[in-house]
């Protein structure tokens, strides 16, 4: 029987400083054993627990897509003991990975529909995985129009720009990149994600929206979608609050009847609407 607390050994293959303020780094991890790589079958929206020897464990959304091979990609903010230690590590250092954990985005339910993806800041990680999956030749024809709206404070804080530019050049998705304020050399959109969502005004007809971002972005994006006629059942959101064990045992991420780690982290807005405001 598989021990759910036992991490799989991995090696850091590459470390990339992802943002201009050095607060975010992207780690490419490779499994030490091929059987572990084969057994780690995940879908966009899931997360994993990354364990750092001597520091602890932290839940992080998987930024790579199953179509990109066995290596795993994680973009991690330097925000605590574990992530600070992670930011000091280099290629060749060893870590543990436990997962995949949680439920993925319900992309099967979106077959034949338009998809609107709204992302803010570094919460875009699992939505990068989603976009790579959606635009893969095996999947793209299963969906109608794909709209991707993504914003960050400054151009230097936008993640995965090379990928996003390629998505745009492919013509397979409508891309809307924005930053909070005017910046030298920036010729794209300026404004917060809710403002851009209002300008783009995605139709709710035969559509599903995936939203992941900071709470303030979500707070002000919801009314925009409400005014456009979106129903709560059409809006999918991903929570990351207070997860610890990752498998619904410790109870730290309990909200109402749910454990965010094992019942989520992906929920419909209709499910969240009836939860206590603590989430």
């Amino acid at each position: 029987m598989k021990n759910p607390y036992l991490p799989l050994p991995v090696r850091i293959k590459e470390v990339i400083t992802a943002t201009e303020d050095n607060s975010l780094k992207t780690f490419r991890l490779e499994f030490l054993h091929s059987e572990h790589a084969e057994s780690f079958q995940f879908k966009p929206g899931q997360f994993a627990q990354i364990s750092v020897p001597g520091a602890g464990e932290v839940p992080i959304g998987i930024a790579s897509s199953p179509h990109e091979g066995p290596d795993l990609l994680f973009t991690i903010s330097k925000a605590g003991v574990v992530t600070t230690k992670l930011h000091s590590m280099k290629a060749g250092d060893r870590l543990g990975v436990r997962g995949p954990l949680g439920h993925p985005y319900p992309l099967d339910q979106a077959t034949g529909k338009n998809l609107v993806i709204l992302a803010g800041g570094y919460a875009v990680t699992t939505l990068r995985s989603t976009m790579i999956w959606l635009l893969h030749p095996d999947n793209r024809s299963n969906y109608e129009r794909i709209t991707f709206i993504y914003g960050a404070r400054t151009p230097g804080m936008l993640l995965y720009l090379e990928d996003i530019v390629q998505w745009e050049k492919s013509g397979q998705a409508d891309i809307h990149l924005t930053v909070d304020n005017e910046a030298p050399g920036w010729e794209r959109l300026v404004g917060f994600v809710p403002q851009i969502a209002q300008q783009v005004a995605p139709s709710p007809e035969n559509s599903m929206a995936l939203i992941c971002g900071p709470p303030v972005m979500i707070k002000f994006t919801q009314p925009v979608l409400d005014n456009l006629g979106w129903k709560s059942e059409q809006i999918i959101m991903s929570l990351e609050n207070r997860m610890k064990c990752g498998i619904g045992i410790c109870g730290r991420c309990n909200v109402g009847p749910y454990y965010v780690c094992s019942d989520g982290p992906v929920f419909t807005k209709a499910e969240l609407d009836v939860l206590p405001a603590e989430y």
Side-chain angles (χ1 to χ4, degrees), residues 44 65-67 107-108 129-136 139 143:
S65 169
H67 293 296
L107 299 177
D108 291 345
S129 173
T130 303
M131 284 294 289
I132 296 285
W133 192 92
L134 289 170
L135 300 183
H136 190 274
N139 302 317
Y143 302 92

Side-chain angles (χ1 to χ4, degrees), residues 90-241:
K90 59 186 184 305
D93 290 341
R94 295 190 179 189
L95 303 169
V97 168
R98 189 161 59 83
L101 301 169
H103 292 283
Y105 291 115
L107 299 177
D108 291 345
Q109 298 175 27
T111 299
K113 297 182 178 181
N114 304 305
L115 272 167
V116 179
I117 295 176
L118 299 115
Y122 77 91
V124 72
T125 56
T126 58
L127 295 175
R128 175 198 181 273
S129 173
T130 303
M131 284 294 289
I132 296 285
W133 192 92
L134 289 170
L135 300 183
H136 190 274
D138 288 349
N139 302 317
R140 181 63 186 91
S141 61
N142 294 327
Y143 302 92
E144 298 298 325
R145 172 173 290 186
I146 296 174
T147 302
F148 182 80
I149 301 173
Y150 172 41
R153 297 198 310 271
T154 66
M157 295 300 291
L158 289 165
L159 297 175
Y160 316 127
L161 271 180
E162 289 185 9
D163 295 321
I164 295 170
V165 168
Q166 287 303 313
W167 303 341
E168 187 173 51
K169 286 181 177 178
S170 76
Q172 298 189 78
D174 299 327
I175 304 296
H176 305 273
L177 281 177
T178 185
V179 296
D180 291 356
N181 299 293
E182 298 278 357
W186 181 253
E187 298 178 349
R188 291 179 179 258
L189 298 169
V190 175
F192 299 113
V193 168
Q195 295 173 293
I196 304 305
Q198 192 162 26
Q199 292 173 18
V200 175
S203 169
E205 186 176 350
N206 190 38
S207 299
M208 175 184 286
L210 310 180
I211 304 177
C212 200
V216 67
M217 185 207 95
I218 293 173
K219 176 181 178 180
F220 288 101
T221 299
Q222 287 180 0
V224 173
L225 296 181
D226 290 343
N227 290 336
L228 290 170
W230 286 76
K231 306 299 183 187
S232 295
E233 295 78 9
Q234 296 175 274
I235 301 172
I236 309 298
M237 303 170 72
S238 182
L239 304 183
E240 297 182 345
N241 54 326

